[in-house]
Each structure stands twice: as C-alpha cells, then as structure tokens.
Amino acid sequence: MVRRLLALRREGKLTTGRVRSAAAVLGVRERAVWRWLAAAERDEAAGLAPGERAAYPGRFTVTDEVRALLALWQGNVAAVHRELTARAAGGEGEPPPSIPTLHRAIRRDLSPGERAGLAGGERAARKHDVFLARPRGWRNQVWETDHVQAPVLVDVDGRARRPWITWFTDCATNAITGVAVTPVHPSRESVLAALRSAVLREDPYGPFGGVPEKIRVDRGKDFLSRTVTAAFDLLDVTVEDLPAYTPHLKGTVEGLNRAVESMFLAALPGYARQPRPGKRPARPKDEVLLGFEDFTARLLEWTRWWNTEHRPAPLRGRTPLQAWQDDPTPLRDVAAADLWTFTLEDAGARMLTTRGIRFKKRDYVGPWMTGQAGLQVRIRFMPHHDHRIEVYHAATGRYLGPADLADRATEEQVSAVRRARAARARRLKKDLEAAQRERYAAATQAEPPRRLGALTGAQADAELAQSADAGLSQLALPDVVPPAAPPADWRTPASLAALITPAPSGRDSTTTAPDSPDGQAARPTTREDGDAS
C-alpha cells in the first residue's frame, strides 16, 4: 500500500484523505504513513517493509553463534549476553551490544516459532506453525484411534485409579464409533474390545460402525501388536502408522481427547486437576469416588450425547448422527460371530486328550469334548482372558466350542492370593528402600561426596563378622556333628571354648592339646589305657 501511495504522490494525485484512509486500514496514525512515504522516497526498499528500520553498516545481526547460545541457555537473552561478554574478554570475538539491542535483534531476525523452538524445543515451535485441514471425505473412509488416561480417580476394588479410555472416531462425521474403558493400563485386549464395538452396528453399538478403509494410529505398541495387526488384515483395513510425537496428524481423535475432559470429566467427582486451596493441594479424605461401573455408564451416556445431540463446529450445525445418515456411502458389515473370531489371538494347534486341551501348562475342558479325544484342534483366545479359550477344528477351521479352565480357583482364593502378593510386594519395597536410603553431606566447595552415618571401628568389625558368620552358616552341612568339649582338666583357649559344645556327662572324648606356654606344640595326649590319641 505504501508503494501505491508513493506512485500517487509522484503523479500528483495523493491527497490527505487518501493518506488518512490508508492509516485507518493499516491501523496506524496518519503521521506514521507520511513518515513511511518519506523513507520510501529515499529508498524504495523501505516501501516493502514499512515501519522497519533500514539496515545500516555495523548493525548487529543474529549469527549462528548467538542461535547456538540461545539454544544452550533456553532462550535466556541475559545469559547469552553474559556468555558473549565473557568470550570477548577472553579474546574470542567482538564485544556484544547492549541487552536491549540484543533483544531487538533477536525479535527482528528470528521468527516467533524459531524463538520458541530455541527455548523449548520442537513441541514449543510447533505451536507457531500453520497446519492445513484435510478434506472431510466420506463416512468410514478414515478412522483414528488412541488411548487417553482419564484425569479422574475411580474406585476400582477399593483402590483409587485413573482409568484409560480407548476409542475409534470417524474423521468425516466426528462420530465416536467404538469405545472401551480399562481400569489400569490398556493393552491389545482394550484395542480389540473397542474395535468390536466400533465395527458392529447392532444394538447397543449402532447405528455407527462397519469396516473402515483406513485407520490412523500413532505407533503405539498395542495398536501394532501381532493380534491387532492380524485382525486389521483379516478385515482388509489399511493401517497408517504415523510418526511419533505428531498429534497434529490425527487431529480428530486428539480434539476428542481434549473435549472429553473439558465437557465431561471436569465435572465428575475425583477430578484430579481440580484447583484446590492450600500450599499443598490434595484430594479431600472424605471425597466419595465413582465406582468403575458407574464411571463407564456415565462415559457411554456422554458418548451417546456426543453422537446424537452435540453439534461440532466443522459439521456446520449438524450432529454426527445427522452427518452419518446424510452420507449415502455404502457400509461393509461383518457378522458378530466372524468378528469375534477375527479379534482372537491364535495359539496354534493342540491335541485334545482325555484330560482336555493343554494350554499354558493348564488344562481346559468343555462339555462338547465328550468322545472327541485324539482330535487335532486349533486354539484362539482373548489376550489377558485366560479363563476361557475358543477351539476350532485344525483341518477345516470349523468352530467346535469354548473350553473353560479346569479346577479354577474360587473368588475367595483369588482374593487371598492377591492380598498375599500385595503384602509381599510392600515388604520387598520397604526392604529395598531401606537398603538404598543413603544420605550425603552438603558441600559448600568442590569436594568428593561424603556419606553420612558414622561408624566406629568396633561397630564396623562386628557387622562384618556377623555377615561373615551368616555366610558360613549357610554353607554348613546339617549332618556334621560339632566337636565335643574336652575334659575339664584340659586348658582350652577362650576363642575355641565358645565354638565347642559341652560333652555329655560320663563320656570320654579326645581333642588336641593346647599350646604350651613357651609357644611350642604340646605332646599328644593319651587315653587312660595309654594308647596315643
């Protein structure tokens, strides 16, 4: 615009009204526009960047050295100035300008994204990037999936835990096609459960679902496991494995992760990120947490609201259900029985014996096995659900039936075992913490670290002797008879007397004579009959 005003001025057509209008459009004062015109008359390059100071010889510019120091000091300009000053004092380079001049040079020569990246890394720089939006496409063209840990404490068997949510979302309609909730860390079983609920369109999962053409994942090991990959292959679904740490490449599900917290989870009891008073905010002791079943029911109800009532901005006033129903794209459905088979893990072939099927060193039996001993079968099972397996004919692939774990423990036995394991884990943790609890003295000058906890020489010798005795006692054989005590009239050193058991009364024993007072070995003693011992 400044160059256009300059051309009008040279033609004699520039008026005060046009300058005033240009100032209003540019959001500056009128005198600033006149000043820019004067600078453009002296140098036409100034009209390309109005308001920017013209370059002059000797002006400080950001060099590679300054960029490296900014990265080293995480964007601290004052620290960079001190480093440059110290280097100049040592004869390395010219003295730097003042700190305000250094600030102006950095703001002028570096973009906001570069400054954020040098201070905070790639993630901070990505916040200043511009991303293009993908075209919407059609329903079931692309799904996105992800795990997200809910910031809500939920009562799981008497313990407060933060459950994990695994869901699939359709990128064209913003619909949540499938969801699964796990009390603890998710696994491939969580992915398979959510996938089944996403593909099935019968009650209570419908009407969203069907088989998608592509699914985007973020290189999670659960989504790329052998079982999940095999299920995707059998369903003829293309898996797009996105690079790590690129949430912007799956913005639909990442936006859902943010929305569920602000629109639903923040209002639940036990919300972990609730601002609390006090210097050390903590959860109130009298706070009543939701049970896992209640939390899952509320989440599923919110999912129904999202799909049927919520109107996301990209859908322009429509709900995901309306956008789904307005799309005429045909759907690919899979029978529930076939889908169950596809989402099971294959354990290979086994022989059905009179004891059932041997799997993971345990026996599985079923009522349909009567008269089937000697049959070659193939086992498929749901990961982490080892109480039941599904059995198929090894040659034809025909489904034979389920098999349950034989001699399965009762719930009381399982609870007792879990309590014993928990107590053992707590005891081991306490022992390990006690062994690693070492303290060091604070240092006010450069010196080697000094451990705290003084010991006398006698204490150290006693502890070492005790540990040595414990080690030797572990090597001792239980069937070795200790030496008997010598007769009362024999002289025995005190160091040996403590190691010899008293002799039974009325029993004659033989032992080695003690040393003579002059340091020479004493002669062998004899029994009463005169034989040499």
Side-chain angles (χ1 to χ4, degrees):
M1 181 175 289
V2 175
R3 298 178 65 183
R4 176 60 178 168
L5 295 176
L6 180 61
L8 292 176
R9 184 173 185 175
R10 291 175 178 175
E11 295 175 0
K13 300 179 181 180
L14 182 63
T15 61
T16 305
R18 288 184 173 179
V19 174
R20 189 176 298 111
S21 300
V25 172
L26 296 175
V28 297
R29 296 184 179 182
E30 181 181 350
R31 63 180 183 181
V33 178
W34 287 110
R35 187 169 63 251
W36 293 347
L37 287 173
E41 285 184 347
R42 295 190 300 268
D43 185 7
E44 293 188 2
L48 299 176
E52 184 177 343
R53 294 186 179 183
Y56 57 88
R59 184 175 70 174
F60 181 82
T61 59
V62 175
T63 61
D64 293 339
E65 181 185 15
V66 176
R67 295 172 67 97
L69 291 177
L70 282 173
L72 175 64
W73 294 102
Q74 297 182 350
N76 190 335
V77 180
V80 173
H81 187 270
R82 289 194 299 268
E83 185 76 17
L84 292 175
T85 303
R87 293 185 179 184
E92 301 180 10
E94 298 294 332
S98 62
I99 293 182
T101 302
L102 186 59
H103 270 286
R104 285 194 300 268
I106 291 174
R107 287 194 301 267
R108 180 186 66 245
D109 298 342
L110 299 180
S111 65
E114 289 178 318
R115 296 197 298 269
L118 292 174
E122 178 64 25
R123 288 189 177 183
R126 195 183 299 131
K127 297 179 180 179
H128 298 270
D129 293 342
V130 178
F131 304 101
L132 299 177
R134 294 191 181 98
R136 285 243 147 221
W138 54 89
R139 64 181 182 180
N140 281 358
Q141 180 193 16
V142 180
W143 285 1
E144 292 179 357
T145 179
D146 195 15
H147 296 307
V148 60
Q149 187 178 22
V152 176
L153 294 175
V154 176
D155 185 5
V156 180
D157 293 335
R159 296 186 60 183
R161 296 182 180 274
R162 292 175 55 185
W164 285 79
I165 305 173
T166 304
W167 42 28
F168 289 82
T169 178
D170 181 61
C171 296
T173 62
N174 281 54
I176 302 175
T177 56
V179 60
V181 187
T182 311
V184 290
H185 294 284
S187 62
R188 61 187 185 278
E189 184 262 341
S190 307
V191 180
L192 295 176
L195 178 62
R196 281 196 301 272
S197 67
V199 173
L200 292 177
R201 294 200 302 126
E202 57 190 24
D203 290 336
Y205 307 108
F208 307 96
V211 180
E213 299 179 14
K214 180 190 295 185
I215 293 180
R216 296 193 185 105
V217 300
D218 59 354
R219 197 165 289 184
K221 63 178 183 180
D222 301 328
F223 299 101
L224 299 178
S225 63
R226 181 182 60 183
T227 306
V228 177
T229 304
F232 288 150
D233 291 340
L234 291 173
L235 296 174
D236 194 18
V237 177
T238 303
V239 179
E240 184 179 356
D241 184 15
L242 301 175
Y245 305 105
T246 54
H248 58 282
L249 297 181
K250 52 183 182 69
T252 304
V253 71
E254 291 292 343
L256 179 62
N257 292 339
R258 294 189 296 269
V260 69
E261 179 175 356
S262 60
M263 301 174 67
F264 169 65
L265 299 177
L268 295 181
Y271 181 59
R273 298 172 184 169
Q274 181 71 30
R276 304 185 188 277
K279 296 181 179 179
R280 298 182 62 183
R283 182 170 60 89
K285 296 182 179 179
D286 57 347
E287 184 177 13
V288 179
L289 302 179
L290 291 175
F292 177 74
E293 183 178 359
D294 191 8
F295 172 80
T296 305
R298 295 193 184 193
L299 178 65
L300 295 178
E301 180 61 23
W302 181 84
T303 302
R304 186 203 61 78
W305 172 85
W306 174 279
N307 286 336
T308 59
E309 300 181 24
H310 180 56
R311 302 177 186 273
L315 299 183
R316 299 179 180 179
R318 297 183 299 170
T319 64
L321 179 60
Q322 293 173 345
W324 182 274
Q325 294 175 344
D326 294 342
D327 194 333
T329 305
L331 302 175
R332 291 192 301 154
D333 290 325
V334 179
D338 296 339
L339 183 62
W340 172 257
T341 303
F342 293 161
T343 54
L344 293 176
E345 186 167 339
D346 191 358
R350 296 289 194 282
M351 178 65 70
L352 198 158
T353 65
T354 55
R355 298 181 56 182
I357 299 176
R358 192 71 174 174
F359 176 59
K360 291 186 177 179
K361 299 181 180 181
R362 295 183 291 184
D363 295 325
Y364 290 79
V365 296
W368 57 269
M369 294 182 180
T370 303
Q372 301 290 340
L375 184 65
Q376 193 78 8
V377 297
R378 179 170 290 274
I379 297 176
R380 300 181 70 89
F381 68 100
M382 171 62 64
H384 309 293
H385 291 255
D386 51 0
H387 63 281
R388 168 173 290 190
I389 60 176
E390 305 294 332
V391 186
Y392 297 80
H393 197 282
T396 63
R398 179 172 56 91
Y399 178 64
L400 298 178
D404 296 320
L405 180 64
D407 193 19
R408 185 179 178 185
T410 63
E411 291 295 333
E412 292 76 8
Q413 290 174 327
V414 174
S415 299
V417 170
R418 289 176 178 173
R419 288 194 300 269
R421 290 178 179 176
R424 182 182 61 187
R426 290 193 299 267
R427 184 168 59 252
L428 178 60
K429 180 180 179 181
K430 184 178 180 179
D431 294 341
L432 293 177
E433 289 179 351
Q436 296 178 357
R437 192 178 297 126
E438 294 185 355
R439 297 184 180 276
Y440 291 84
T444 58
Q445 57 185 357
E447 59 182 4
R450 293 183 292 109
R451 286 190 178 92
L452 295 179
L455 284 177
T456 64
Q459 290 175 336
D461 293 339
E463 187 169 347
L464 291 176
Q466 182 179 2
S467 62
D469 293 344
L472 293 177
S473 63
Q474 294 177 357
L475 298 177
L477 299 178
D479 56 345
V480 173
V481 179
D489 57 340
W490 286 16
R491 292 193 307 166
T492 304
S495 60
L496 295 179
L499 302 177
I500 299 175
T501 58
S505 59
R507 179 182 175 183
D508 191 12
S509 60
T510 304
T511 184
T512 305
D515 296 339
S516 61
D518 57 358
Q520 296 179 357
R523 64 179 181 85
T525 59
T526 59
R527 297 180 184 267
E528 293 179 357
D529 55 2
D531 295 336
S533 59

